[in-house]
Amino acid sequence: MQFEEIITELESLSNLEDVEGRARFGINHTKTYGVRMPELRRIAKTAGKDHELAEKLWNAGYGETKILAGLIEDPKMVTEDQMENWVSGFDSWDVCDQCCINLFRKTPFARQKVFEWSTREGEFVKRAAFAMIAVLAVHDKKADDEKFEEFFPLIIRESLDNRNFVKKAVNWALRQIGKRNINLNRRAVEIAEEISTIDSKSAKWIAADAIRELTGEKVQERLKKK
């Protein structure tokens, strides 16, 4: 598919009711068509991997074109400068998370960017750091436990950030690490208990929610079967 074809397709699928519905879940793109993820995945599958097309879609500036850019981009072609440019353009949690899930985690810069972005002030840049931890915990099957224990100091430090999209990502990162195996589950619960002693509303919420899931019967049973 060519750029113009994709834009025409998005325009034809545009749904203003979806835009209003997404706003209730905190999805507020600067520019949006109101097209759902299954349709975006279908378009991306038809388009295939295309570096130049991904750049054009990103620069179009719509929430959907940015998500499509992450789906279509070839991870082997991604540079650090490109990642920095894209992360500075995150204006919604869904664009942030989809880029981390579909593209950024597959680059050789993924772990480096976790440490860099976790120190930045921008809400969605910082969210990207912890979303990356969460998706690496799910998808990087070969990584040693130590690679994830390195993230615990970041999680503790940023548990004080009470901004909604940051604290939810910090919580997400901690929970996903704790679901990898029994050892990391034990360590993640210990970290959550340490966080629970911090005099901060966001820290106490992050800790309580993580402990509830990580010590729950469902997670414990699954980990015992591994």
Side-chain angles (χ1 to χ4, degrees), residues 178-212:
K179 289 190 279 188
R180 275 182 70 87
N181 58 50
I182 287 289
N183 176 56
L184 283 175
N185 178 267
R186 176 182 58 79
R187 288 288 294 122
V189 171
E190 289 174 356
I191 295 299
E193 289 171 344
E194 180 179 342
I195 291 171
S196 73
T197 66
I198 299 172
D199 185 18
S200 160
K201 258 188 178 180
S202 61
K204 292 188 183 304
W205 176 83
I206 288 165
D209 188 72
I211 291 169
R212 181 168 53 250

Side-chain angles (χ1 to χ4, degrees), residues 3-217:
F3 174 77
E4 293 76 12
E5 292 178 275
I6 292 176
I7 296 302
T8 299
E9 180 85 351
L10 291 173
E11 288 173 347
S12 71
L13 294 167
S14 183
N15 187 331
L16 293 180
E17 288 183 5
D18 272 6
V19 175
E20 294 171 2
R22 290 179 188 189
R24 291 195 292 271
F25 293 96
I27 300 174
N28 294 293
H29 300 130
T30 307
K31 299 197 297 185
T32 185
Y33 290 105
V35 178
R36 296 180 180 182
M37 272 306 300
E39 294 289 357
L40 297 181
R41 291 193 188 97
R42 176 184 60 77
I43 293 170
K45 188 175 181 181
T46 302
K49 296 298 180 186
D50 189 321
H51 176 67
E52 291 185 7
L53 178 57
E55 278 293 304
K56 287 181 180 179
L57 287 166
W58 182 266
N59 291 331
Y62 286 80
E64 290 83 358
T65 60
K66 289 180 177 181
I67 290 173
L68 274 172
L71 287 163
I72 289 169
E73 179 61 284
D74 182 350
K76 299 184 185 70
M77 299 288 289
V78 175
T79 65
E80 278 193 74
D81 285 346
Q82 181 182 345
M83 289 178 74
E84 289 294 339
N85 179 46
W86 283 27
V87 79
S88 68
F90 288 168
D91 63 355
S92 179
W93 66 262
D94 62 329
V95 172
C96 171
D97 296 359
Q98 288 297 325
C99 278
C100 291
I101 292 166
N102 300 316
L103 180 63
F104 287 173
R105 70 172 177 88
K106 301 174 184 178
T107 71
F109 314 110
R111 289 178 177 274
Q112 172 190 333
K113 292 304 171 188
V114 167
F115 290 96
E116 292 177 8
W117 292 345
S118 69
T119 65
R120 305 272 180 87
E121 271 307 301
E123 185 170 10
F124 293 113
V125 179
K126 190 172 285 190
R127 181 183 174 90
F130 294 96
M132 193 93 80
I133 294 173
V135 299
L136 286 170
V138 173
H139 296 284
D140 192 354
K141 306 292 186 185
K142 295 180 181 179
D144 296 333
D145 288 0
E146 290 76 12
K147 289 290 186 182
F148 290 96
E149 290 179 359
E150 290 174 357
F151 296 138
F152 286 145
L154 281 61
I155 289 171
I156 295 169
R157 186 188 73 214
E158 299 306 328
S159 67
L160 289 108
D161 193 321
N162 63 10
R163 289 176 293 180
N164 190 45
F165 297 119
V166 175
K167 74 177 184 181
K168 286 188 174 180
V170 173
N171 170 264
W172 182 23
L174 182 58
R175 288 186 293 107
Q176 291 306 127
I177 292 174
K179 289 190 279 188
R180 275 182 70 87
N181 58 50
I182 287 289
N183 176 56
L184 283 175
N185 178 267
R186 176 182 58 79
R187 288 288 294 122
V189 171
E190 289 174 356
I191 295 299
E193 289 171 344
E194 180 179 342
I195 291 171
S196 73
T197 66
I198 299 172
D199 185 18
S200 160
K201 258 188 178 180
S202 61
K204 292 188 183 304
W205 176 83
I206 288 165
D209 188 72
I211 291 169
R212 181 168 53 250
E213 180 171 10
L214 296 178
T215 61
E217 185 178 343

